C-alpha cells in the first residue's frame, strides 16, 4: 500500500520510512517545498504543526487538489486537543499519536480496502464528514462562538439515508474502525438512534429529529475540562460531578439557536434521565420523560457499552443488550424489547 507522507519537518522522513518500509511504500512530501500535487491513490499521512495557520493552509491546498485519496491519517503527538480538532476539521479519517497506533491504523485501512473490493456500502468520506461536523461544533462551543446547526444537519441526513439502505451493523463496524473518543461516541449514538427510530417506524421528520438530538446530545462536553474529558481512567467523584453538568451546558449552548426544535433540546438536556427518577440533571420521573428521550437514552447507553474506552474495553452487542434488559425500572421495558432486533440483528 502506498503512503503519501506530508510533513513540515524533513527530519521526520527517515524515521517514518524506517517504521513503514518495506511493508508500505512511502512517498514523502515536505510542506512548502516543490509541487504539492499528489496524483495516485493510497493513504495520506500528515505530520505537521496544525497550530500554525500557514501549515493548515498548505495542507488545505493539498487536500483541495486530491480527489483520489479517501483515507487521511493525521499524526498528533500527545493528542493535543486543538490539533486533533483541526485535523478532523481538515477531513481526517483517523488521528493517531504513537508509532503503534500508526501501524494499527494502516493495517485497519488495508482491511477496509480489501472490503471495499466487495462493494462496501459506506465511504470514509461519510465518516470524515461526520467527524468534521463534530469538530466544527465542539470547537465553536469551546471558543464561545455560535454553533451552526447546519453542521449537524447534513451528516445526520447522510447517516439516516445510509442506515436505511444498508442497515446498522455496517455503520457501527465502520465507525469503530476509524474513530475513538468523543467523536466515535457521537457517531455511534447517532447511528444507533437512527436505526432504532427506523425500526420502530418513525416517520422521516421524527427520525431526523431523533438523529439531530443524538448528534448534539454531548455538545456540552465541549465545555468540560480536557483533563477530565480525556482522563484515561475512571473519574473520581468530584470529576464525575463536573462531567454530569454537560447536559445542562449543552442545553444552554443550543437553546437560543434559531430553528432548533424543543424536542431536540429536550433530548440534549435529558438523555441521562431514568424513569425511576435516579437520572440527572433534573431527576425526572417517567411521566415527564418524552418518547424521544427514552429512545435516545437507550441508544446512548448501548453505544457507550459497545465502544472501546481507555478504562473499559468494548463488550459484545449481545452482552450490551443484556445489560439494558437488567435496567428494568430505569428504561422502558417495551422499548428495550423493541430494541432487541436493533441491538442484535440490524
Amino acid at each position: 500500500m502506498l503512503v503519501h507522507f506530508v510533513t513540515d519537518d524533513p527530519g521526520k522522513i527517515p524515521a517514518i520510512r524506517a517504521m513503514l518500509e518495506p511493508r508500505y511504500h512511502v512517498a514523502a512530501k515536505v510542506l512548502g517545498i516543490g509541487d504539492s500535487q499528489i496524483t495516485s491513490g493510497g493513504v495520506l499521512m500528515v505530520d505537521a504543526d496544525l497550530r500554525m495557520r500557514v501549515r493548515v493552509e498548505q495542507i488545505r491546498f493539498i487536500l483541495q487538489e486530491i480527489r483520489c485519496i479517501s483515507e487521511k491519517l493525521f499524526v498528533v503527538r500527545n493528542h493535543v486537543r486543538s490539533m486533533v480538532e483541526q485535523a478532523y476539521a481538515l477531513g481526517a479519517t483517523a488521528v493517531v499519536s504513537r508509532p503503534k497506533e500508526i501501524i494499527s491504523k494502516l493495517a485497519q485501512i488495508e482491511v477496509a480496502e480489501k472490503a471495499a473490493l466487495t462493494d462496501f456500502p459506506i465511504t470514509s468520506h461519510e465518516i470524515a464528514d461526520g467527524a468534521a461536523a463534530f469538530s466544527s461544533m465542539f470547537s465553536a462551543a469551546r471558543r464561545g462562538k455560535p454553533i451552526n446547526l447546519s453542521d449537524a444537519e447534513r451528516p445526520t441526513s447522510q447517516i439516516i439515508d445510509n442506515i436505511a439502505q444498508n442497515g446498522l451493523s455496517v455503520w457501527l463496524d465502520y465507525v469503530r474502525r476509524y474513530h475513538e473518543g468523543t467523536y466515535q461516541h457521537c457517531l455511534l449514538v447517532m447511528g444507533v438512534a437512527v436505526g432504532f427510530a427506523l425500526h420502530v417506524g418513525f416517520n422521516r421528520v421524527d427520525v431526523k429529529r431523533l438523529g439531530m438530538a443524538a448528534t448534539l446530545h454531548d455538545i456540552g462536553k465541549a465545555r468540560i475540562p480536557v483533563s477530565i474529558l480525556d482522563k484515561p481512567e475512571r473519574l473520581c467523584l468530584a470529576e464525575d460531578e463536573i462531567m454530569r453538568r454537560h447536559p445542562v451546558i449543552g442545553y444552554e449552548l443550543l437553546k437560543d439557536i434559531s430553528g432548533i426544535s424543543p424536542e431536540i433540546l429536550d433530548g440534549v438536556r435529558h438523555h441521562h434521565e431514568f424513569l425511576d427518577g435516579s437520572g440527572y440533571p433534573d431527576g425526572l420521573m417517567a411521566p415527564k420523560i418524552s418518547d424521544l428521550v427514552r429512545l435516545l437514552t437507550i441508544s446512548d447507553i448501548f453505544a457507550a457499552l459497545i465502544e472501546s474506552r481507555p478504562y473499559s474495553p468494548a463488550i459484545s452487542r449481545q452482552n450490551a443488550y443484556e445489560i439494558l434488559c437488567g435496567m428494568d425500572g430505569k428504561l422502558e421495558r417495551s422499548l428495550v424489547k423493541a430494541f432487541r432486533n436493533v441491538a442484535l440483528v440490524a
Side-chain angles (χ1 to χ4, degrees), residues 115-191:
L117 296 176
T118 61
D119 195 27
F120 202 67
I122 290 180
T123 71
S124 58
H125 290 298
E126 293 175 46
I127 304 292
D129 284 348
F134 289 124
S135 175
S136 176
M137 291 186 295
F138 272 68
S139 179
R142 186 170 287 111
R143 292 183 290 113
K145 303 294 185 180
I147 296 171
N148 188 345
L149 205 58
S150 64
D151 285 339
E153 289 173 341
R154 186 167 66 90
T156 300
S157 295
Q158 288 179 338
I159 292 167
I160 290 171
D161 292 340
N162 197 291
I163 292 175
Q165 181 176 352
N166 302 304
L168 179 61
S169 291
V170 174
W171 172 258
L172 296 182
D173 291 343
Y174 210 74
V175 170
R176 288 187 293 183
R177 183 179 299 160
Y178 283 105
H179 286 284
E180 59 278 315
T182 300
Y183 296 154
Q184 184 197 71
H185 178 69
C186 291
L187 287 164
L188 289 175
V189 174
M190 189 199 309

Side-chain angles (χ1 to χ4, degrees), residues 11-24 26 99 103:
K12 295 177 181 177
I13 296 174
I16 206 72
R17 289 192 189 278
M19 183 194 310
L20 301 183
E21 292 180 339
R23 178 173 178 178
Y24 305 107
V26 178
I103 296 296

Side-chain angles (χ1 to χ4, degrees), residues 214-230:
T215 301
L216 296 166
H217 80 288
D218 270 349
I219 189 66
K221 288 183 178 179
R223 296 287 183 87
I224 299 298
V226 173
S227 60
I228 294 176
L229 199 62
D230 291 346

Side-chain angles (χ1 to χ4, degrees), residues 249-284:
I249 294 172
Y251 173 83
E252 294 295 327
L253 288 170
L254 298 171
K255 67 178 183 179
D256 295 325
I257 294 179
S258 176
I260 195 165
S261 74
E263 293 86 356
I264 294 173
L265 291 173
D266 184 31
V268 170
R269 184 179 181 103
H270 294 131
H271 63 277
H272 284 296
E273 300 286 359
F274 291 134
L275 302 183
D276 62 2
S278 63
Y280 64 91
D282 299 317
L284 299 184

Side-chain angles (χ1 to χ4, degrees), residues 58-244:
Q58 289 169 334
I59 294 166
R60 185 174 286 119
F61 179 76
I62 290 175
L63 294 174
Q64 289 173 347
E65 293 295 311
I66 58 175
R67 295 288 182 263
C68 53
I69 298 179
S70 59
E71 306 302 340
K72 303 175 182 67
L73 180 65
F74 280 66
V75 180
V76 178
R77 287 170 178 79
N78 300 318
H79 285 286
V80 177
R81 176 158 294 277
S82 63
M83 291 177 64
V84 170
E85 290 179 348
Q86 183 63 72
Y88 281 124
L90 286 167
T93 53
V95 174
V96 295
S97 179
R98 299 185 300 273
K100 286 184 178 180
E101 293 176 352
I102 294 173
I103 296 296
S104 175
K105 285 296 180 182
L106 288 175
Q108 291 173 356
I109 290 170
E110 279 189 300
V111 172
E113 286 189 345
K114 292 177 181 178
L117 296 176
T118 61
D119 195 27
F120 202 67
I122 290 180
T123 71
S124 58
H125 290 298
E126 293 175 46
I127 304 292
D129 284 348
F134 289 124
S135 175
S136 176
M137 291 186 295
F138 272 68
S139 179
R142 186 170 287 111
R143 292 183 290 113
K145 303 294 185 180
I147 296 171
N148 188 345
L149 205 58
S150 64
D151 285 339
E153 289 173 341
R154 186 167 66 90
T156 300
S157 295
Q158 288 179 338
I159 292 167
I160 290 171
D161 292 340
N162 197 291
I163 292 175
Q165 181 176 352
N166 302 304
L168 179 61
S169 291
V170 174
W171 172 258
L172 296 182
D173 291 343
Y174 210 74
V175 170
R176 288 187 293 183
R177 183 179 299 160
Y178 283 105
H179 286 284
E180 59 278 315
T182 300
Y183 296 154
Q184 184 197 71
H185 178 69
C186 291
L187 287 164
L188 289 175
V189 174
M190 189 199 309
V192 172
V194 165
F196 197 1
L198 291 170
H199 177 71
V200 298
F202 276 22
N203 61 42
R204 176 77 186 193
V205 172
D206 287 336
V207 173
K208 178 71 174 292
R209 192 172 287 140
L210 179 60
M212 285 289 291
T215 301
L216 296 166
H217 80 288
D218 270 349
I219 189 66
K221 288 183 178 179
R223 296 287 183 87
I224 299 298
V226 173
S227 60
I228 294 176
L229 199 62
D230 291 346
K231 187 176 180 179
E233 60 269 350
R234 290 192 179 277
L235 303 180
C236 69
L237 288 177
E239 293 166 333
D240 188 58
E241 182 63 32
I242 294 172
M243 181 68 85
R244 283 172 171 252

